[in-house]
Structure formats: structure tokens, C-alpha cells
Amino acid sequence: MVRSLLSMLWLLPLLCGPAAAQADGGKTAVLELARKGWVYELRSSMMRPVRGRALPRIDARSLRGARLCLLGEAPHPVTLDVIEQFSALLELTFGQPLRLDDAVDPAGCAGEPVVLRLFSDRSPDIAYNSDLERLDTEFAIGLPRRRRHFVATPAQAQTFFGELGQATHILVMQPEVETEPADLTLQFHVSILIEELYQAFTFGMDVLLFDRTRKPISKLQEYPLHLRGLSWRSDAYMAGLLSSNPRGLCAFDVLMLHALGESDLERTNSSELIVYIDENYTRLTERMRETLALPSLSTILDPDCAALPR
């Protein structure tokens, strides 16, 4: 799976949280996975830290109703389909959809805190650095000066916390515009876009699985793979990445969206989120089932995910 980085910040799991041992088996599994993916503390690793700056407060609802500014290539029809369905899912869970906007050039995204750059050919290193420089200037992030950044994966999402606000940069490879991609290629691009959107808007972190006999119950879970040296466009790379985690969102992921959108917490990366899920589990699972039954979300949901344990 393509690993999403949260702003140039190290994330350390917290061991605190309510004991789930008294819960039923299904709830226990959900609480444990939610703790692994969402309960962490931040420690700055900025090389140019701003003196006196407090560590940011993570609140997934901070992006509620955000304007998603598209840069780079025009979106492929399947890219638009994923974005539109994800926007509809956010409206169901967070109360507001994404606002989509195409920008001719980076200046068209001036002041916008959420940017998605699309590409299908070579890695857009120059454009990527230009994007980061603009965000650094506008939000006073404190990125290292004169350092060049390189695109190392076909998809990534980064959230930066600056003196002048929070900014999210998403970079995703898509099929070549005006082409009908082969099934493998289509599934690959859909999968990586879903993953980056989900992690960018929920602040959930990857959770490694080492036991291949355990089927994942979340898009965040992944089996570690070694794919270095393979072209991102090769069938071997695409098939390998697709085998590392679910191709779309699972029931657990939808449940987490409802929990994040409905909770009234100061921070959603704290053990208080686990308490909220524990106390509202029955209602959250009912909302989750209603959402999963909607045929309009078929592109971004994976019916092959393991069911939540009972």
C-alpha cells in the first residue's frame, strides 16, 4: 500500500484507552483497530521549526466541506467517479460534501488548503516542488529551505500544519486521459485514489498485517511488500500493490467515518475517540449498514473485505 505521511511529523501510538476486553468480539476488534489507526501523538520533525509553535490539534472535521482544488492533468472519468462518490460518502458521514474545483495552474489554488495533483506520465517532481513552495509561503509551514523533494510513490497524501493554517497536498497517478484502461490498470488507479482520499480526510494511519491468513477488515490494513525496482506502470507492480490491502473501503472504514463525523471531540487522534465508539457502537453499526447498502457508492466500496467479527 502507498504510505501516507502526516505533515513531516512522527506519529507514536498511544497505549492509553478504554479496555475493550469487556466488549463483545466484534466491538473488541473494531476498538483495537481504531486505536492502532487513530490514537497517536505528534512530535515535530521540522528542520526549521518555528519557536514556540504548539503541536497541532488533529480534528478530522477540520476538512468538513473542504474545497478540493485539482491540479495537473484533467481528471480521467474514473477519477471523477471516485471523487464524486467519496464526496457523497462524506456528505452522509460528515454532513457536507467536497466542493470540487479545477485550477488551470497552481495560482488558481491560491489560499486553498486541500490540493489534489493528478498525473499519468512521468513523476511530476518539478510541479510537486512548486506546490510545496506555494503551500509553504501561504501557510508558513516551515519546510527546509533549498531542499528538493521527489515523488517516490504513485500516490501520497501529506498534511502540513503551519503558523497560518493547515494544508493538505494529495498526489495521485491516474489512467491516461481519454483512454479506456485495462481492468488491472483501472482497479489499481481506483484503489490508490480511494486510499489517499480516505487517509487525507480521516487522518487514519496505516496498520501492518503480517499474517496472510488474516483477511483485512479495513483499507488501512496492509501486508508489507517489496516492490522496489518495478515500474509503477508494470502489471507486476499494480498486481502486487492491489494484493497488499483491500481495493476499496470496508465496513470498518465506513463505521469510522460515521464516528469521526458525528463525535464532538476536541481531538480525533485521542483515546476519547475509542470511548465514543465504545459507547455508541450499536448506533454507529446501524448507520454503517445503511450506508453500505447504497448502490451509488459501489465504486469506492470493496465487497470482498472481511466482515466485522461478531
Side-chain angles (χ1 to χ4, degrees), residues 57-66 93-96 166 200-203 257-269 272-273 276:
R57 178 175 59 86
I58 301 296
D59 181 357
R61 293 157 303 176
S62 63
L63 296 179
R64 177 182 286 165
T93 55
F94 279 66
Q96 295 183 47
Q166 171 183 316
F201 281 86
T202 67
F203 294 91
L257 278 169
H258 280 293
L260 293 165
E262 297 172 19
S263 63
D264 186 21
L265 303 175
E266 183 177 347
R267 294 191 304 136
T268 54
N269 65 317
E272 292 179 347
L273 178 63
Y276 179 84

PDB file of all heavy atoms in Angstrom, residues 57-66 93-96 166 200-203 257-269 272-273 276:
ATOM      1  N   ARG A  57      -3.482  20.329  16.740  1.00  0.00           N
ATOM      2  CA  ARG A  57      -4.603  19.535  17.222  1.00  0.00           C
ATOM      3  C   ARG A  57      -5.248  18.860  16.025  1.00  0.00           C
ATOM      4  O   ARG A  57      -5.679  19.514  15.082  1.00  0.00           O
ATOM      5  CB  ARG A  57      -5.608  20.443  17.941  1.00  0.00           C
ATOM      6  CG  ARG A  57      -6.853  19.725  18.440  1.00  0.00           C
ATOM      7  CD  ARG A  57      -7.727  20.681  19.239  1.00  0.00           C
ATOM      8  NE  ARG A  57      -8.144  21.824  18.442  1.00  0.00           N
ATOM      9  CZ  ARG A  57      -9.215  21.819  17.651  1.00  0.00           C
ATOM     10  NH1 ARG A  57      -9.960  20.739  17.543  1.00  0.00           N
ATOM     11  NH2 ARG A  57      -9.547  22.892  16.966  1.00  0.00           N
ATOM     12  N   ILE A  58      -5.303  17.534  16.038  1.00  0.00           N
ATOM     13  CA  ILE A  58      -5.871  16.787  14.930  1.00  0.00           C
ATOM     14  C   ILE A  58      -7.380  16.662  15.113  1.00  0.00           C
ATOM     15  O   ILE A  58      -7.847  16.141  16.125  1.00  0.00           O
ATOM     16  CB  ILE A  58      -5.256  15.376  14.830  1.00  0.00           C
ATOM     17  CG1 ILE A  58      -3.747  15.464  14.649  1.00  0.00           C
ATOM     18  CG2 ILE A  58      -5.892  14.588  13.686  1.00  0.00           C
ATOM     19  CD1 ILE A  58      -3.315  16.125  13.381  1.00  0.00           C
ATOM     20  N   ASP A  59      -8.127  17.148  14.145  1.00  0.00           N
ATOM     21  CA  ASP A  59      -9.583  17.040  14.164  1.00  0.00           C
ATOM     22  C   ASP A  59     -10.023  16.729  12.740  1.00  0.00           C
ATOM     23  O   ASP A  59      -9.909  17.576  11.846  1.00  0.00           O
ATOM     24  CB  ASP A  59     -10.218  18.342  14.656  1.00  0.00           C
ATOM     25  CG  ASP A  59     -11.734  18.262  14.718  1.00  0.00           C
ATOM     26  OD1 ASP A  59     -12.291  17.221  14.329  1.00  0.00           O
ATOM     27  OD2 ASP A  59     -12.354  19.245  15.152  1.00  0.00           O
ATOM     28  N   ALA A  60     -10.490  15.510  12.501  1.00  0.00           N
ATOM     29  CA  ALA A  60     -10.875  15.105  11.149  1.00  0.00           C
ATOM     30  C   ALA A  60     -11.962  16.000  10.572  1.00  0.00           C
ATOM     31  O   ALA A  60     -12.078  16.131   9.354  1.00  0.00           O
ATOM     32  CB  ALA A  60     -11.344  13.647  11.165  1.00  0.00           C
ATOM     33  N   ARG A  61     -12.740  16.649  11.447  1.00  0.00           N
ATOM     34  CA  ARG A  61     -13.820  17.510  10.946  1.00  0.00           C
ATOM     35  C   ARG A  61     -13.311  18.853  10.429  1.00  0.00           C
ATOM     36  O   ARG A  61     -14.083  19.645   9.898  1.00  0.00           O
ATOM     37  CB  ARG A  61     -14.845  17.730  12.068  1.00  0.00           C
ATOM     38  CG  ARG A  61     -15.588  16.452  12.455  1.00  0.00           C
ATOM     39  CD  ARG A  61     -16.131  16.538  13.853  1.00  0.00           C
ATOM     40  NE  ARG A  61     -15.046  16.807  14.796  1.00  0.00           N
ATOM     41  CZ  ARG A  61     -15.247  17.003  16.097  1.00  0.00           C
ATOM     42  NH1 ARG A  61     -16.440  16.950  16.589  1.00  0.00           N
ATOM     43  NH2 ARG A  61     -14.223  17.235  16.891  1.00  0.00           N
ATOM     44  N   SER A  62     -12.001  19.096  10.570  1.00  0.00           N
ATOM     45  CA  SER A  62     -11.450  20.364  10.081  1.00  0.00           C
ATOM     46  C   SER A  62     -11.551  20.481   8.563  1.00  0.00           C
ATOM     47  O   SER A  62     -11.485  21.575   8.014  1.00  0.00           O
ATOM     48  CB  SER A  62      -9.982  20.501  10.516  1.00  0.00           C
ATOM     49  OG  SER A  62      -9.190  19.467   9.936  1.00  0.00           O
ATOM     50  N   LEU A  63     -11.687  19.348   7.872  1.00  0.00           N
ATOM     51  CA  LEU A  63     -11.811  19.360   6.415  1.00  0.00           C
ATOM     52  C   LEU A  63     -13.254  19.193   5.956  1.00  0.00           C
ATOM     53  O   LEU A  63     -13.509  18.968   4.779  1.00  0.00           O
ATOM     54  CB  LEU A  63     -10.934  18.253   5.806  1.00  0.00           C
ATOM     55  CG  LEU A  63      -9.430  18.410   6.040  1.00  0.00           C
ATOM     56  CD1 LEU A  63      -8.670  17.240   5.414  1.00  0.00           C
ATOM     57  CD2 LEU A  63      -8.925  19.731   5.475  1.00  0.00           C
ATOM     58  N   ARG A  64     -14.194  19.299   6.865  1.00  0.00           N
ATOM     59  CA  ARG A  64     -15.609  19.180   6.516  1.00  0.00           C
ATOM     60  C   ARG A  64     -15.991  20.278   5.523  1.00  0.00           C
ATOM     61  O   ARG A  64     -15.757  21.461   5.746  1.00  0.00           O
ATOM     62  CB  ARG A  64     -16.465  19.286   7.774  1.00  0.00           C
ATOM     63  CG  ARG A  64     -17.950  19.249   7.533  1.00  0.00           C
ATOM     64  CD  ARG A  64     -18.706  19.404   8.845  1.00  0.00           C
ATOM     65  NE  ARG A  64     -18.637  18.194   9.645  1.00  0.00           N
ATOM     66  CZ  ARG A  64     -18.967  18.146  10.944  1.00  0.00           C
ATOM     67  NH1 ARG A  64     -19.316  19.249  11.571  1.00  0.00           N
ATOM     68  NH2 ARG A  64     -18.912  17.000  11.589  1.00  0.00           N
ATOM     69  N   GLY A  65     -16.570  19.875   4.389  1.00  0.00           N
ATOM     70  CA  GLY A  65     -16.983  20.847   3.384  1.00  0.00           C
ATOM     71  C   GLY A  65     -15.834  21.510   2.656  1.00  0.00           C
ATOM     72  O   GLY A  65     -16.003  22.579   2.062  1.00  0.00           O
ATOM     73  N   ALA A  66     -14.644  20.883   2.670  1.00  0.00           N
ATOM     74  CA  ALA A  66     -13.463  21.497   2.050  1.00  0.00           C
ATOM     75  C   ALA A  66     -13.617  21.596   0.535  1.00  0.00           C
ATOM     76  O   ALA A  66     -14.324  20.808  -0.091  1.00  0.00           O
ATOM     77  CB  ALA A  66     -12.222  20.682   2.390  1.00  0.00           C
ATOM     78  N   THR A  93     -21.636  11.107   6.045  1.00  0.00           N
ATOM     79  CA  THR A  93     -20.982  10.873   7.333  1.00  0.00           C
ATOM     80  C   THR A  93     -20.540  12.151   8.044  1.00  0.00           C
ATOM     81  O   THR A  93     -20.584  12.226   9.268  1.00  0.00           O
ATOM     82  CB  THR A  93     -19.758   9.963   7.138  1.00  0.00           C
ATOM     83  OG1 THR A  93     -18.882  10.528   6.149  1.00  0.00           O
ATOM     84  CG2 THR A  93     -20.189   8.571   6.684  1.00  0.00           C
ATOM     85  N   PHE A  94     -20.110  13.148   7.285  1.00  0.00           N
ATOM     86  CA  PHE A  94     -19.632  14.402   7.866  1.00  0.00           C
ATOM     87  C   PHE A  94     -20.641  15.548   7.719  1.00  0.00           C
ATOM     88  O   PHE A  94     -20.442  16.625   8.244  1.00  0.00           O
ATOM     89  CB  PHE A  94     -18.309  14.822   7.220  1.00  0.00           C
ATOM     90  CG  PHE A  94     -17.107  14.120   7.791  1.00  0.00           C
ATOM     91  CD1 PHE A  94     -16.933  12.756   7.636  1.00  0.00           C
ATOM     92  CD2 PHE A  94     -16.148  14.818   8.497  1.00  0.00           C
ATOM     93  CE1 PHE A  94     -15.839  12.101   8.152  1.00  0.00           C
ATOM     94  CE2 PHE A  94     -15.038  14.184   9.020  1.00  0.00           C
ATOM     95  CZ  PHE A  94     -14.883  12.810   8.858  1.00  0.00           C
ATOM     96  N   GLY A  95     -21.692  15.306   6.945  1.00  0.00           N
ATOM     97  CA  GLY A  95     -22.733  16.320   6.815  1.00  0.00           C
ATOM     98  C   GLY A  95     -22.557  17.275   5.662  1.00  0.00           C
ATOM     99  O   GLY A  95     -23.478  18.003   5.320  1.00  0.00           O
ATOM    100  N   GLN A  96     -21.374  17.282   5.030  1.00  0.00           N
ATOM    101  CA  GLN A  96     -21.125  18.177   3.909  1.00  0.00           C
ATOM    102  C   GLN A  96     -20.270  17.465   2.863  1.00  0.00           C
ATOM    103  O   GLN A  96     -19.332  16.745   3.224  1.00  0.00           O
ATOM    104  CB  GLN A  96     -20.396  19.448   4.363  1.00  0.00           C
ATOM    105  CG  GLN A  96     -21.194  20.339   5.293  1.00  0.00           C
ATOM    106  CD  GLN A  96     -20.439  21.607   5.637  1.00  0.00           C
ATOM    107  OE1 GLN A  96     -19.892  22.282   4.773  1.00  0.00           O
ATOM    108  NE2 GLN A  96     -20.390  21.925   6.926  1.00  0.00           N
ATOM    109  N   GLN A 166      -3.631  25.045   8.222  1.00  0.00           N
ATOM    110  CA  GLN A 166      -3.407  23.650   7.857  1.00  0.00           C
ATOM    111  C   GLN A 166      -3.581  23.481   6.354  1.00  0.00           C
ATOM    112  O   GLN A 166      -4.485  24.051   5.752  1.00  0.00           O
ATOM    113  CB  GLN A 166      -4.428  22.795   8.604  1.00  0.00           C
ATOM    114  CG  GLN A 166      -4.504  21.346   8.221  1.00  0.00           C
ATOM    115  CD  GLN A 166      -5.609  20.644   8.994  1.00  0.00           C
ATOM    116  OE1 GLN A 166      -5.769  20.832  10.201  1.00  0.00           O
ATOM    117  NE2 GLN A 166      -6.391  19.838   8.290  1.00  0.00           N
ATOM    118  N   ALA A 200      -6.377  11.146   3.854  1.00  0.00           N
ATOM    119  CA  ALA A 200      -6.235  12.603   3.946  1.00  0.00           C
ATOM    120  C   ALA A 200      -7.383  13.229   4.721  1.00  0.00           C
ATOM    121  O   ALA A 200      -7.179  14.205   5.457  1.00  0.00           O
ATOM    122  CB  ALA A 200      -6.164  13.211   2.543  1.00  0.00           C
ATOM    123  N   PHE A 201      -8.590  12.667   4.585  1.00  0.00           N
ATOM    124  CA  PHE A 201      -9.755  13.281   5.214  1.00  0.00           C
ATOM    125  C   PHE A 201     -10.122  12.671   6.561  1.00  0.00           C
ATOM    126  O   PHE A 201     -11.002  13.199   7.244  1.00  0.00           O
ATOM    127  CB  PHE A 201     -10.962  13.215   4.262  1.00  0.00           C
ATOM    128  CG  PHE A 201     -10.915  14.260   3.189  1.00  0.00           C
ATOM    129  CD1 PHE A 201     -10.223  14.036   2.016  1.00  0.00           C
ATOM    130  CD2 PHE A 201     -11.529  15.489   3.365  1.00  0.00           C
ATOM    131  CE1 PHE A 201     -10.155  15.004   1.018  1.00  0.00           C
ATOM    132  CE2 PHE A 201     -11.469  16.474   2.386  1.00  0.00           C
ATOM    133  CZ  PHE A 201     -10.780  16.234   1.212  1.00  0.00           C
ATOM    134  N   THR A 202      -9.452  11.583   6.957  1.00  0.00           N
ATOM    135  CA  THR A 202      -9.744  10.993   8.261  1.00  0.00           C
ATOM    136  C   THR A 202      -8.560  11.035   9.208  1.00  0.00           C
ATOM    137  O   THR A 202      -8.734  10.847  10.418  1.00  0.00           O
ATOM    138  CB  THR A 202     -10.169   9.520   8.122  1.00  0.00           C
ATOM    139  OG1 THR A 202      -9.055   8.741   7.653  1.00  0.00           O
ATOM    140  CG2 THR A 202     -11.353   9.369   7.174  1.00  0.00           C
ATOM    141  N   PHE A 203      -7.342  11.243   8.689  1.00  0.00           N
ATOM    142  CA  PHE A 203      -6.113  11.231   9.484  1.00  0.00           C
ATOM    143  C   PHE A 203      -5.827   9.850  10.066  1.00  0.00           C
ATOM    144  O   PHE A 203      -5.120   9.716  11.063  1.00  0.00           O
ATOM    145  CB  PHE A 203      -6.155  12.274  10.614  1.00  0.00           C
ATOM    146  CG  PHE A 203      -6.173  13.693  10.117  1.00  0.00           C
ATOM    147  CD1 PHE A 203      -7.382  14.342   9.891  1.00  0.00           C
ATOM    148  CD2 PHE A 203      -5.010  14.375   9.854  1.00  0.00           C
ATOM    149  CE1 PHE A 203      -7.420  15.637   9.422  1.00  0.00           C
ATOM    150  CE2 PHE A 203      -5.026  15.679   9.390  1.00  0.00           C
ATOM    151  CZ  PHE A 203      -6.239  16.313   9.163  1.00  0.00           C
ATOM    152  N   LEU A 257     -15.823   6.616   9.554  1.00  0.00           N
ATOM    153  CA  LEU A 257     -16.270   7.907   9.016  1.00  0.00           C
ATOM    154  C   LEU A 257     -17.469   8.431   9.798  1.00  0.00           C
ATOM    155  O   LEU A 257     -17.549   9.620  10.123  1.00  0.00           O
ATOM    156  CB  LEU A 257     -16.616   7.778   7.535  1.00  0.00           C
ATOM    157  CG  LEU A 257     -15.453   7.834   6.559  1.00  0.00           C
ATOM    158  CD1 LEU A 257     -15.909   7.431   5.156  1.00  0.00           C
ATOM    159  CD2 LEU A 257     -14.829   9.235   6.519  1.00  0.00           C
ATOM    160  N   HIS A 258     -18.413   7.549  10.097  1.00  0.00           N
ATOM    161  CA  HIS A 258     -19.566   7.972  10.903  1.00  0.00           C
ATOM    162  C   HIS A 258     -19.118   8.408  12.291  1.00  0.00           C
ATOM    163  O   HIS A 258     -19.590   9.436  12.807  1.00  0.00           O
ATOM    164  CB  HIS A 258     -20.582   6.830  11.008  1.00  0.00           C
ATOM    165  CG  HIS A 258     -21.456   6.688   9.806  1.00  0.00           C
ATOM    166  ND1 HIS A 258     -22.388   7.650   9.454  1.00  0.00           N
ATOM    167  CD2 HIS A 258     -21.546   5.712   8.855  1.00  0.00           C
ATOM    168  CE1 HIS A 258     -23.025   7.263   8.353  1.00  0.00           C
ATOM    169  NE2 HIS A 258     -22.528   6.102   7.968  1.00  0.00           N
ATOM    170  N   ALA A 259     -18.202   7.664  12.900  1.00  0.00           N
ATOM    171  CA  ALA A 259     -17.737   8.024  14.239  1.00  0.00           C
ATOM    172  C   ALA A 259     -17.021   9.371  14.233  1.00  0.00           C
ATOM    173  O   ALA A 259     -17.256  10.222  15.093  1.00  0.00           O
ATOM    174  CB  ALA A 259     -16.809   6.928  14.773  1.00  0.00           C
ATOM    175  N   LEU A 260     -16.149   9.579  13.256  1.00  0.00           N
ATOM    176  CA  LEU A 260     -15.403  10.833  13.175  1.00  0.00           C
ATOM    177  C   LEU A 260     -16.324  12.009  12.894  1.00  0.00           C
ATOM    178  O   LEU A 260     -16.161  13.100  13.446  1.00  0.00           O
ATOM    179  CB  LEU A 260     -14.335  10.733  12.082  1.00  0.00           C
ATOM    180  CG  LEU A 260     -13.190   9.755  12.351  1.00  0.00           C
ATOM    181  CD1 LEU A 260     -12.418   9.481  11.069  1.00  0.00           C
ATOM    182  CD2 LEU A 260     -12.257  10.290  13.428  1.00  0.00           C
ATOM    183  N   GLY A 261     -17.301  11.797  12.003  1.00  0.00           N
ATOM    184  CA  GLY A 261     -18.190  12.887  11.629  1.00  0.00           C
ATOM    185  C   GLY A 261     -19.191  13.260  12.697  1.00  0.00           C
ATOM    186  O   GLY A 261     -19.599  14.419  12.804  1.00  0.00           O
ATOM    187  N   GLU A 262     -19.592  12.296  13.506  1.00  0.00           N
ATOM    188  CA  GLU A 262     -20.652  12.534  14.483  1.00  0.00           C
ATOM    189  C   GLU A 262     -20.136  12.887  15.869  1.00  0.00           C
ATOM    190  O   GLU A 262     -20.873  13.468  16.675  1.00  0.00           O
ATOM    191  CB  GLU A 262     -21.549  11.296  14.571  1.00  0.00           C
ATOM    192  CG  GLU A 262     -22.276  10.975  13.267  1.00  0.00           C
ATOM    193  CD  GLU A 262     -22.999   9.641  13.320  1.00  0.00           C
ATOM    194  OE1 GLU A 262     -23.239   9.156  14.442  1.00  0.00           O
ATOM    195  OE2 GLU A 262     -23.321   9.104  12.246  1.00  0.00           O
ATOM    196  N   SER A 263     -18.905  12.523  16.176  1.00  0.00           N
ATOM    197  CA  SER A 263     -18.374  12.789  17.514  1.00  0.00           C
ATOM    198  C   SER A 263     -18.128  14.284  17.690  1.00  0.00           C
ATOM    199  O   SER A 263     -17.915  15.016  16.732  1.00  0.00           O
ATOM    200  CB  SER A 263     -17.070  12.022  17.737  1.00  0.00           C
ATOM    201  OG  SER A 263     -16.072  12.462  16.833  1.00  0.00           O
ATOM    202  N   ASP A 264     -18.156  14.710  18.912  1.00  0.00           N
ATOM    203  CA  ASP A 264     -17.911  16.121  19.225  1.00  0.00           C
ATOM    204  C   ASP A 264     -16.702  16.196  20.142  1.00  0.00           C
ATOM    205  O   ASP A 264     -16.802  16.541  21.314  1.00  0.00           O
ATOM    206  CB  ASP A 264     -19.151  16.744  19.882  1.00  0.00           C
ATOM    207  CG  ASP A 264     -18.999  18.242  20.091  1.00  0.00           C
ATOM    208  OD1 ASP A 264     -18.163  18.845  19.399  1.00  0.00           O
ATOM    209  OD2 ASP A 264     -19.712  18.793  20.953  1.00  0.00           O
ATOM    210  N   LEU A 265     -15.544  15.843  19.576  1.00  0.00           N
ATOM    211  CA  LEU A 265     -14.322  15.761  20.355  1.00  0.00           C
ATOM    212  C   LEU A 265     -13.379  16.900  20.008  1.00  0.00           C
ATOM    213  O   LEU A 265     -13.365  17.387  18.879  1.00  0.00           O
ATOM    214  CB  LEU A 265     -13.612  14.427  20.085  1.00  0.00           C
ATOM    215  CG  LEU A 265     -14.424  13.153  20.353  1.00  0.00           C
ATOM    216  CD1 LEU A 265     -13.627  11.933  19.921  1.00  0.00           C
ATOM    217  CD2 LEU A 265     -14.793  13.047  21.825  1.00  0.00           C
ATOM    218  N   GLU A 266     -12.581  17.302  20.965  1.00  0.00           N
ATOM    219  CA  GLU A 266     -11.579  18.340  20.697  1.00  0.00           C
ATOM    220  C   GLU A 266     -10.490  17.801  19.791  1.00  0.00           C
ATOM    221  O   GLU A 266      -9.968  18.515  18.941  1.00  0.00           O
ATOM    222  CB  GLU A 266     -10.978  18.827  22.008  1.00  0.00           C
ATOM    223  CG  GLU A 266      -9.977  19.950  21.822  1.00  0.00           C
ATOM    224  CD  GLU A 266      -9.443  20.471  23.140  1.00  0.00           C
ATOM    225  OE1 GLU A 266     -10.018  20.137  24.198  1.00  0.00           O
ATOM    226  OE2 GLU A 266      -8.436  21.210  23.104  1.00  0.00           O
ATOM    227  N   ARG A 267     -10.137  16.511  19.955  1.00  0.00           N
ATOM    228  CA  ARG A 267      -9.139  15.862  19.109  1.00  0.00           C
ATOM    229  C   ARG A 267      -9.663  14.493  18.703  1.00  0.00           C
ATOM    230  O   ARG A 267     -10.185  13.757  19.517  1.00  0.00           O
ATOM    231  CB  ARG A 267      -7.807  15.695  19.865  1.00  0.00           C
ATOM    232  CG  ARG A 267      -7.101  16.985  20.213  1.00  0.00           C
ATOM    233  CD  ARG A 267      -5.690  16.708  20.707  1.00  0.00           C
ATOM    234  NE  ARG A 267      -5.692  15.787  21.849  1.00  0.00           N
ATOM    235  CZ  ARG A 267      -4.848  14.762  21.979  1.00  0.00           C
ATOM    236  NH1 ARG A 267      -3.959  14.516  21.034  1.00  0.00           N
ATOM    237  NH2 ARG A 267      -4.899  13.976  23.032  1.00  0.00           N
ATOM    238  N   THR A 268      -9.505  14.159  17.418  1.00  0.00           N
ATOM    239  CA  THR A 268      -9.946  12.837  16.966  1.00  0.00           C
ATOM    240  C   THR A 268      -8.792  11.845  16.896  1.00  0.00           C
ATOM    241  O   THR A 268      -8.981  10.730  16.427  1.00  0.00           O
ATOM    242  CB  THR A 268     -10.634  12.936  15.587  1.00  0.00           C
ATOM    243  OG1 THR A 268      -9.764  13.594  14.655  1.00  0.00           O
ATOM    244  CG2 THR A 268     -11.950  13.681  15.682  1.00  0.00           C
ATOM    245  N   ASN A 269      -7.608  12.231  17.341  1.00  0.00           N
ATOM    246  CA  ASN A 269      -6.485  11.288  17.420  1.00  0.00           C
ATOM    247  C   ASN A 269      -6.181  10.964  18.883  1.00  0.00           C
ATOM    248  O   ASN A 269      -5.034  10.785  19.278  1.00  0.00           O
ATOM    249  CB  ASN A 269      -5.235  11.849  16.735  1.00  0.00           C
ATOM    250  CG  ASN A 269      -4.699  13.089  17.434  1.00  0.00           C
ATOM    251  OD1 ASN A 269      -5.467  13.962  17.824  1.00  0.00           O
ATOM    252  ND2 ASN A 269      -3.387  13.185  17.588  1.00  0.00           N
ATOM    253  N   GLU A 272     -10.141   9.379  23.493  1.00  0.00           N
ATOM    254  CA  GLU A 272     -11.551   9.744  23.638  1.00  0.00           C
ATOM    255  C   GLU A 272     -12.377   9.264  22.452  1.00  0.00           C
ATOM    256  O   GLU A 272     -13.573   8.993  22.587  1.00  0.00           O
ATOM    257  CB  GLU A 272     -11.679  11.265  23.782  1.00  0.00           C
ATOM    258  CG  GLU A 272     -11.105  11.807  25.082  1.00  0.00           C
ATOM    259  CD  GLU A 272     -11.231  13.310  25.173  1.00  0.00           C
ATOM    260  OE1 GLU A 272     -11.527  13.943  24.136  1.00  0.00           O
ATOM    261  OE2 GLU A 272     -11.049  13.857  26.271  1.00  0.00           O
ATOM    262  N   LEU A 273     -11.755   9.139  21.279  1.00  0.00           N
ATOM    263  CA  LEU A 273     -12.462   8.613  20.120  1.00  0.00           C
ATOM    264  C   LEU A 273     -12.849   7.157  20.354  1.00  0.00           C
ATOM    265  O   LEU A 273     -13.942   6.721  19.971  1.00  0.00           O
ATOM    266  CB  LEU A 273     -11.605   8.739  18.860  1.00  0.00           C
ATOM    267  CG  LEU A 273     -12.203   8.169  17.572  1.00  0.00           C
ATOM    268  CD1 LEU A 273     -13.477   8.910  17.184  1.00  0.00           C
ATOM    269  CD2 LEU A 273     -11.192   8.222  16.433  1.00  0.00           C
ATOM    270  N   TYR A 276     -15.798   7.052  22.574  1.00  0.00           N
ATOM    271  CA  TYR A 276     -17.018   7.419  21.840  1.00  0.00           C
ATOM    272  C   TYR A 276     -17.551   6.234  21.035  1.00  0.00           C
ATOM    273  O   TYR A 276     -18.755   5.961  21.038  1.00  0.00           O
ATOM    274  CB  TYR A 276     -16.727   8.604  20.909  1.00  0.00           C
ATOM    275  CG  TYR A 276     -17.937   9.033  20.108  1.00  0.00           C
ATOM    276  CD1 TYR A 276     -18.872   9.901  20.657  1.00  0.00           C
ATOM    277  CD2 TYR A 276     -18.146   8.545  18.817  1.00  0.00           C
ATOM    278  CE1 TYR A 276     -19.998  10.284  19.934  1.00  0.00           C
ATOM    279  CE2 TYR A 276     -19.266   8.925  18.098  1.00  0.00           C
ATOM    280  CZ  TYR A 276     -20.184   9.787  18.663  1.00  0.00           C
ATOM    281  OH  TYR A 276     -21.301  10.151  17.956  1.00  0.00           O
TER     282      TYR A 276
END
